[in-house]
Amino acid sequence: EVQLQASGGGLVQIGDSMQLSCAGSGFTFEESDIGWFRQAPGKEREAVSCISRRYTNTYYADSMKGRFTLSSDNAKYTVNLEMSSLRPEDTAVYYCATGNCWGTYKGRLLFDGRDWGQGTQVTVSS
């Protein structure tokens, strides 16, 4: 059974940094595409960042480029999303997911989630 356990999140101020982590089990971690989605109140879920094992690359939605960094620690079966220069519009519930990470197209991240972890709330206060 695939399990994804997200941690991190909380309340921060504008411009602060925060790290989210996701520990995975029940699948071949180093061979599985993995990443993060987020959903803000009243908005559709959007893909944030993902790691493609097939293309050996990490992709970001345009609005996260330069501010978010996704890394994989295969020895610990964990991915970490380091978020910096946080803005109020980054406020959302963040979800870790496995699936297929295809890259980007016209600024949008193409990542179809298959298995999901529980969400973790990130609130950026002004």
Side-chain angles (χ1 to χ4, degrees):
E1 178 189 4
V2 173
Q3 292 193 347
L4 298 165
Q5 182 67 44
S7 60
L11 174 65
V12 295
Q13 302 293 317
I14 292 175
D16 282 354
S17 298
M18 172 184 285
Q19 179 175 281
L20 304 180
S21 296
C22 177
S25 63
F27 60 99
T28 307
F29 187 87
E30 64 274 16
E31 294 181 2
S32 300
D33 293 357
I34 189 168
W36 291 86
F37 290 81
R38 71 184 185 184
Q39 188 165 21
K43 294 190 175 181
E44 290 187 358
R45 184 178 61 203
E46 66 172 328
V48 173
S49 178
C50 60
I51 293 172
S52 170
R53 307 298 189 181
R54 181 185 308 106
Y55 303 127
T56 319
N57 206 349
T58 303
Y59 299 95
Y60 303 89
D62 268 6
S63 61
M64 290 73 168
K65 278 183 183 177
R67 299 190 302 123
F68 290 13
T69 301
L70 180 62
S71 61
S72 180
D73 186 341
N74 294 344
K76 295 182 179 179
Y77 306 107
T78 298
V79 291
N80 298 305
L81 182 67
E82 186 68 37
M83 306 183 292
S84 63
S85 303
L86 285 164
R87 309 164 179 167
E89 54 265 38
D90 294 318
T91 296
V93 179
Y94 285 70
Y95 298 91
C96 177
T98 60
N100 291 303
C101 177
W102 301 106
T104 60
Y105 179 72
K106 293 186 177 181
R108 280 193 64 195
L109 181 62
L110 304 179
F111 178 33
D112 51 344
R114 180 176 58 244
D115 297 296
W116 300 82
Q118 90 287 4
T120 185
Q121 176 72 45
V122 173
T123 303
V124 184
S125 172
S126 56

